[in-house]
Amino acid sequence: MLQSIKSPADLKKLTLRELNQLAKEIRQQIISVVSSNGGHLASNLGAVEISIALHRVFNSPDDKIVWDVGHQCYAHKLLTGRLESFSSLRKRNGLCGFPKTSESPHDAFNTGHASTSISAALGLLAADKIQNKKTHAIAVIGDGALTGGLAYEALSHAGHLGLPLIVILNDNKMSISRNVGGLSKYLSRLSMKAKYQTFRRHFDALAKKLPFIGEAFFKLIVRLKRAVKAVFYIDNFFVDLGFEYVGPINGHNIGVLTDVLEDVCKLNLPVVIHVVTRKGKGFNYAEDKPDNYHGVVSFSINDGLTESININKNFNKSFTEAFSDMLLSTAKEDKRIVTITAAMKSGTGLAVFAQTFPDRFFDVGIAEGHAATFASGLAANNLRPVVALYSTFVQRAVDQIIHDAALQKLPVIFALDRAGFVSADGETHQGLFDISLFRSTPNITIFAPASENEMRLMFEWTLEQETLGPMIIRYPKANCPLEIEAFSLPLELGRGVFVTENDEKQVCLAFTGSLYREVVEAAAILKENQIKADLYNLRFLKPVDENYLIELMNTYKLTIFIEEGIKDGGFGEYASALALKHSVKTKLTILAAESSFLEGNNALGTREELLAVNGLDGKGIAKIVIDQLSFIKYP
Ligand SMILES: Cc1ncc(C[n+]2csc(CCOP(=O)(O)OP(=O)(O)O)c2C)c(N)n1
């Protein structure tokens, strides 16, 4: 069946039985490809019938479907002509795991970060209206993504505009972990009131049997149903905002889904369709433990085991694990430490802390901005909050970090995981902006540890400071290197530390900690070419002991700043300006991610591949050094 679907138009010819068969085949396809490529398994398995029903009823790409986060769009990709390339999902040269307008006209809007779909779909719809196009726009948003504040701003605006926006609320009670918060409880209460829905279905069936049911009469019925609803849902939040509310309905019943979608098409009103689904549907292991199968590396279909469970670990712990261990041991002694996650308890390494200190742990939902301001409140009242976020998601909290934490010099610690190149998830998940975003913010300290010990040193140093503002500690999605003595040397404010130093003072490779392995590899290649490079681990990206840095640069013929972040506004650019201002004599070069969004192949692949294509692997660094040295005339 799946083979015969070349475009959504092919769905219109199928019977309900055939559509159900198609759902089975799509599930098999998703399980098979994700088991080898990794990906967002459980969310996709839960959204198969929703995808089929949407493409059956609507006419994409004229009608626009916006997938919130976009991590549930695999069935949509399979139904919109991408079956052949599906095996390349998340690979170099392959399909992106999220919607991408450049990949297909059926991907109406790029997503990756949560809670944007209602705003985007409303914008698309309003634009069509202004251009006199009669189309539909549908936002598919999960109950997890609905914990993000942006979604409420959009609901409020959409209710006010009154355009016929369709919001499908895919409620599976899960964010990545179990969903949290008042809203989640509220949705559960709505789901339990199935009584109204049964009544409604009978009412609809009766209405449809009436002869000559015209548009006007249908609208009257809708109004009548609203009156009925008022009896059952005195407190329906969505209705109060100006939406028609339908639900809860079974999100795995294609028949019911298509009926309801066809019905709501006839209304000229904003509608929320509350759909209840099971995360991981159709794969037992994922149904049992949807959080473990939210985002997975490759796994065995037979026993559901992933590589990391299967294989005995014989490598160093990851930076995430190092952070987790450090936090736990420090928090045992220091009762001021509390931790905050924005719906990423496991990913950021806070799960054990949450278990050990449940009263000192907060999951605020997908609400990074709130997390930052909430933490600022905690810090203003004597605590030492640690907000653990991925670098890419801290982008949501820029104003809160500047306005609430930095301006008031509050000691909030932001632990930014996955800072730098991030494998497989593409351009939306790269952690390349944090240095540039926050280097210009006064009162902030930014640390880039190279190892577990160094991270601990930085953390403990921060806890000792009494008048410090917010602190950012950024580390990559990578394993920690083996410790060397330099990593444990005491911190000196604003200064880095030499990892290796030669007498010649020929070349200095000044690097952000995450690139330690790469500069060591570069130094080895250079050595083979009779070039002696000193390795200087920057440690502090802010503040900087400027006199020290000027003197350091003046010592070398060639200084290269190597950072795992975007070049514009990064450390290297700051150091260049400093060098220019003080007429520093060194030849200075910056190696960083080029100042454009990573696209296509430059964004997909393992971290090692991304470092290589962006010229930041050992070979790339060594090549630049050799090239640059050839320009220098020796006395
Ligand atoms: C701003 C932002 N923060 C965090 C994330 C990480 N994230 C991806 S999916 C997800 C949970 C989404 O839950 P839900 O919307 O209910 O979808 P489900 O996976 O349950 O289908 C989170 C927290 C993100 N994508 N964007």
Side-chain angles (χ1 to χ4, degrees):
M1 193 67 61
L2 183 55
Q3 291 287 348
S4 69
I5 307 295
K6 303 293 176 216
S7 83
D10 295 325
L11 283 181
K12 320 262 181 211
K13 309 166 211 152
L14 302 185
T15 63
L16 185 57
R17 246 184 92 227
E18 288 168 328
L19 291 173
N20 283 322
Q21 173 60 25
L22 180 65
K24 264 192 203 145
E25 291 177 25
I26 288 177
R27 279 208 169 82
Q28 279 162 4
Q29 184 69 22
I30 291 175
I31 293 168
S32 156
V33 169
V34 177
S35 71
S36 87
N37 296 14
H40 287 97
L41 184 68
S43 315
N44 278 292
L45 292 178
V48 172
E49 287 80 8
I50 294 176
S51 311
I52 292 176
L54 281 171
H55 282 296
R56 162 78 168 207
V57 173
F58 293 101
N59 294 314
S60 169
D62 290 342
D63 294 332
K64 285 132 190 115
I65 306 169
V66 182
W67 300 93
D68 206 289
V69 182
H71 63 317
Q72 75 294 53
C73 71
Y74 297 175
H76 158 82
K77 292 208 174 196
L78 288 168
L79 295 170
T80 50
R82 284 170 273 184
L83 173 63
E84 305 246 296
S85 45
F86 196 65
S87 59
S88 69
L89 187 75
R90 290 159 50 94
K91 297 265 186 215
R92 280 179 66 68
N93 295 314
L95 285 186
C96 181
F98 295 88
K100 270 185 78 86
T101 50
S102 58
E103 203 177 274
S104 163
H106 294 283
D107 292 1
F109 200 83
N110 288 1
T111 46
H113 288 198
S115 320
T116 62
S117 63
I118 305 176
S119 303
L122 186 63
L124 292 165
L125 188 63
D128 269 352
K129 189 186 169 215
I130 287 171
Q131 297 167 81
N132 293 320
K133 292 185 196 159
K134 270 203 136 238
T135 58
H136 296 97
I138 304 103
V140 184
I141 183 165
D143 55 309
L146 200 66
T147 57
L150 184 61
Y152 295 90
E153 296 172 27
L155 282 172
S156 168
H157 186 208
H160 166 73
L161 282 186
L163 295 176
L165 176 75
I166 297 170
V167 176
I168 299 195
L169 168 55
N170 177 10
D171 180 5
N172 55 21
K173 314 271 175 285
M174 297 291 294
S175 193
I176 290 180
S177 312
R178 189 125 199 110
N179 203 7
V180 294
L183 181 93
S184 171
K185 285 189 194 137
Y186 179 68
L187 292 180
S188 299
R189 285 208 303 279
L190 279 186
S191 305
M192 284 188 309
K193 295 191 179 180
K195 238 198 243 168
Y196 161 72
Q197 198 44 47
T198 315
F199 172 86
R200 215 209 106 143
R201 268 202 291 279
H202 290 151
F203 195 91
D204 281 355
L206 189 76
K208 277 182 187 157
K209 276 189 202 142
L210 293 174
F212 313 118
I213 178 161
E215 192 91 330
F217 188 58
F218 189 78
K219 280 187 182 153
L220 177 70
I221 288 177
V222 168
R223 275 211 297 281
L224 258 172
K225 280 189 294 194
R226 282 192 155 198
V228 173
K229 200 179 296 174
V231 176
F232 288 93
Y233 293 140
I234 321 142
D235 60 346
N236 189 323
F237 171 71
F238 302 106
V239 173
D240 290 346
L241 283 179
F243 281 77
E244 167 72 2
Y245 169 89
V246 182
I249 60 174
N250 177 354
H252 299 301
N253 186 328
I254 299 176
V256 170
L257 282 169
T258 49
D259 277 358
V260 168
L261 288 173
E262 277 162 8
D263 275 1
V264 301
C265 275
K266 295 178 200 137
L267 304 173
N268 210 15
L269 295 165
V271 183
V272 168
I273 306 176
H274 184 178
V275 167
V276 175
T277 59
R278 175 132 200 192
K279 196 160 175 171
K281 173 90 175 160
F283 186 59
N284 286 348
Y285 302 108
E287 283 192 27
D288 289 350
K289 291 203 160 83
D291 40 351
N292 287 0
Y293 290 86
H294 175 88
V296 281
V297 293
S298 52
F299 63 91
S300 148
I301 297 179
N302 293 336
D303 57 17
L305 289 183
T306 61
E307 270 172 33
S308 58
I309 302 171
N310 257 340
I311 295 170
N312 242 343
K313 277 191 172 183
N314 57 359
F315 43 76
N316 283 346
K317 57 174 96 159
S318 67
F319 274 94
T320 312
E321 289 164 329
F323 165 72
S324 176
D325 293 350
M326 169 189 84
L327 200 59
L328 203 65
S329 58
T330 324
K332 279 185 183 143
E333 306 301 322
D334 190 336
K335 304 281 183 270
R336 298 172 304 166
I337 295 177
V338 291
T339 63
I340 296 135
T341 179
M344 309 281 291
K345 184 171 69 177
S346 301
T348 56
L350 289 185
V352 186
F353 184 99
Q355 245 176 9
T356 317
F357 303 110
D359 298 339
R360 291 159 64 186
F361 166 79
F362 302 92
D363 182 348
V364 297
I366 308 180
E368 290 81 1
H370 163 65
T373 304
F374 171 62
S376 302
L378 293 165
N381 200 3
N382 305 320
L383 298 185
R384 286 302 181 99
V386 181
V387 185
L389 301 172
Y390 288 2
S391 165
T392 189
F393 300 137
V394 81
Q395 290 163 206
R396 278 285 164 89
V398 173
D399 182 55
Q400 289 77 4
I401 292 177
I402 295 175
H403 175 272
D404 298 316
L407 198 59
Q408 302 187 71
K409 236 176 166 210
L410 293 169
V412 183
I413 299 171
F414 293 94
L416 300 190
D417 200 330
R418 282 129 166 97
F421 293 100
V422 175
S423 58
D425 282 335
E427 63 201 23
T428 53
H429 283 58
Q430 300 304 323
L432 295 169
F433 290 99
D434 59 278
I435 301 175
S436 300
L437 285 173
F438 297 112
R439 248 211 57 82
S440 58
T441 306
N443 295 344
I444 281 190
T445 301
I446 307 177
F447 280 123
S451 80
E452 178 176 13
N453 284 354
E454 196 168 63
M455 181 194 260
R456 188 177 276 272
L457 205 67
M458 291 166 174
F459 191 65
E460 288 172 355
W461 182 88
T462 303
L463 291 172
E464 282 163 17
Q465 310 302 310
E466 287 306 327
T467 55
L468 191 80
M471 178 265 213
I472 288 176
I473 184 161
R474 70 178 317 262
Y475 43 91
K477 185 183 182 186
N479 292 323
C480 298
L482 291 177
E483 295 294 339
I484 55 169
E485 205 187 326
F487 295 149
S488 297
L489 292 176
L491 286 185
E492 290 182 76
L493 184 66
R495 294 186 186 184
V497 67
F498 276 97
V499 170
T500 55
E501 212 174 352
N502 299 282
D503 294 335
E504 281 84 344
K505 302 290 174 209
Q506 198 180 7
V507 180
C508 178
L509 303 182
F511 63 96
T512 57
S514 60
L515 293 174
Y516 168 67
R517 276 204 192 84
E518 287 66 31
V519 292
V520 168
E521 195 191 323
I525 299 172
L526 292 171
K527 200 170 168 199
E528 286 166 15
N529 288 273
Q530 284 73 52
I531 299 167
K532 289 185 179 167
D534 290 356
L535 304 185
Y536 179 69
N537 172 13
L538 289 164
R539 285 186 158 180
F540 282 87
L541 303 186
K542 187 184 172 78
V544 174
D545 180 338
E546 295 197 336
N547 291 334
Y548 182 82
L549 186 63
I550 292 164
E551 201 183 311
L552 181 147
M553 290 191 281
N554 260 328
T555 318
Y556 287 91
K557 292 193 176 67
L558 173 65
T559 309
I560 305 208
F561 289 96
I562 307 161
E563 63 194 294
E564 199 170 347
I566 196 106
K567 192 183 276 179
D568 267 3
F571 189 91
E573 282 206 346
Y574 149 76
S576 309
L578 189 71
L580 193 67
K581 190 169 157 197
H582 294 273
S583 306
V584 167
K585 287 184 211 72
T586 191
K587 179 166 176 50
L588 192 153
T589 297
I590 304 168
L591 257 180
E594 277 312 320
S595 293
S596 58
F597 290 109
L598 296 189
E599 287 206 19
N601 261 342
N602 284 4
L604 280 179
T606 62
R607 177 165 176 269
E608 287 65 34
E609 285 169 338
L610 294 180
L611 283 168
V613 287
N614 288 281
L616 283 159
D617 60 341
K619 283 193 194 112
I621 297 168
K623 181 177 177 313
I624 291 287
V625 173
I626 293 167
D627 287 354
Q628 294 297 314
L629 278 179
S630 69
F631 293 121
I632 298 177
K633 296 198 180 18
Y634 286 92

